[in-house]
Amino acid sequence: MDNGGVISKPAGAVAAADGFFAKFSDNAFFTGGLGLAAFAAVLAGTQRGLRHGASSLKRYLLVDADISIKDDFYQGFLLWMTLHHRRQMDRTSFQGKSSGVVAYLLRRFKPRMHHLSVATSKTQLPNGAIQTQFALVPGPGRHIIRYKNAFILANRVRDTKSINLANGNPWESINLTTLYSQQHVLEELFREVNELAEKSVEGKTIVYIPRTASWEKFGEPQRKRLLESVILDKGVKEHIVADVKKFLSKEKWYYDRSIPYRRGYLLHGVPGSGKSSFIRALAGHLDYNIAMINLSERGLTDDRLSFLMSILPKRTFIVLEDVDGAFNGRTMSDESGYRLANVTFAGLLNAIDGISSAEERILFLTTNHVDKLDAALIRRGRVDKMVHMGAATRYQAAQLWERFYGAMDKEGVYKTRFLQVLEDLGIVHAEGQEQPPEPVNMTSTAALQGLFLDHDDSMEGAIAGVSELKGS
């Protein structure tokens, strides 16, 4: 009904609606569920607010840093954590003279590592044996570090779903978290880790070997060999050292003339003449490392060889030893020419000086039989210097004698006798003789050194044992 323009609902309809809502309001299940829903909504909103607040608080109060396993810094940091933890556990007193409750608690609190991993390292001894060493390092999980009165949370994360195809190892990273006000502590920590890493290889030479598509350190760094300990014929060693140093000093000269900044050396001669020993000593003398490639290695292909030579670590010689041995069993292939175990001859040449070959590289090839090498391999541009290291000469024999017996034979009487016996047996030439190129009963410097090692305390014994050297 319309009363002055106001529409009124029938009294029966209003009463029915009130009765409908009354039924729900009187229903305990409905009101309880509505209350729970409202409480859950409030709780969820509170949780979101707390998470947002915690995240904001973390951004403003904390700072973190990530270290990837691909970074050379990674293994060094694990070593530092191990050594730092040992120092803390051995320390009997807290550094500093501050007193009070906080200082007392800091002195008493020593974070301990409860998650450990075994790190294995292998070292090749001079006699060829492999020495294996084990060490405990921080394992995956959370660790607390106390460093210069600051506390750092180190979380080592290992993702087993992500695998490094180069070596089969799972992906890892370390996350460091500390107060933003302590950010400078991380910088100091990183400097200390870097100093530790440099000290661990100081006076040592790192040897790299290929692992699928990357270079891997072979065992522990080896102690540098003194250049003076390698006895080559007169002037040979000095000539190579001078040439390498000249090359290293002319980088800009090469680039200005658009000449590939590469240098190749072929050391050839009889076994035991000091080719490998000289390369190692030269690397130590110039603070270089060594990367070794075996061309006969199974699984080594053209692409892999070229890639490995293009990602050579900085300040590293690349060495292809006994390169003639890789060609002994080569066969002809219709598709790619001469083939080694898996590397084609063309692939080797391209890796040395092809379009994809690396710059800033010093290559050393060694061989016992230079006559077996293809001329294409040793042409200029691939091999810039060919150095002959032949049988032991009179000069080398005299120098080796001085190294072993110089302190005992100050007058040189025994040395004169020794050289005369070598000459009488045809092992070395007479003094001043220049022909033939090799003596009749030639021997190597390695054999001479072995003789001296057997008689290190007896010059008479060394002289008497010369007859065993003929043809060795």
Side-chain angles (χ1 to χ4, degrees), residues 83-102:
L83 298 178
H84 181 71
H85 178 257
R86 289 176 184 171
R87 287 196 298 266
Q88 281 196 328
M89 298 306 295
D90 294 340
R91 192 175 300 163
T92 57
S93 61
F94 181 76
Q95 292 180 349
K97 299 181 179 179
S98 58
S99 59
V101 177
V102 175

Side-chain angles (χ1 to χ4, degrees), residues 200-274:
S200 67
V201 297
E202 186 177 355
K204 298 179 180 178
T205 301
I206 300 174
V207 178
Y208 295 97
I209 57 174
R211 280 289 181 266
T212 311
S214 64
W215 290 100
E216 181 180 288
K217 294 178 182 178
F218 183 72
E220 295 296 319
Q222 301 177 3
R223 187 179 62 184
K224 288 182 180 179
R225 179 161 184 172
L226 296 177
L227 197 60
E228 296 77 17
S229 69
V230 181
I231 308 298
L232 302 182
D233 203 6
K234 191 172 184 179
V236 173
K237 178 170 55 179
E238 293 76 11
H239 173 69
I240 303 174
V241 172
D243 189 83
V244 174
K245 288 183 176 180
K246 179 181 177 182
F247 169 75
L248 294 175
S249 67
K250 298 186 68 174
E251 180 178 1
K252 186 176 184 301
W253 186 91
Y254 275 79
Y255 286 130
D256 288 346
R257 290 156 180 79
S258 298
I259 301 174
Y261 187 52
R262 296 189 289 263
R263 195 74 171 166
Y265 298 88
L266 173 66
L267 309 183
H268 62 95
V270 298
S273 56

Side-chain angles (χ1 to χ4, degrees), residues 385-406:
K385 286 284 184 180
M386 294 178 60
V387 181
H388 178 244
M389 296 184 179
T393 64
R394 188 184 189 90
Y395 172 82
Q396 289 174 288
Q399 292 296 310
L400 279 170
W401 182 275
E402 287 292 336
R403 286 190 62 83
F404 280 85
Y405 305 115

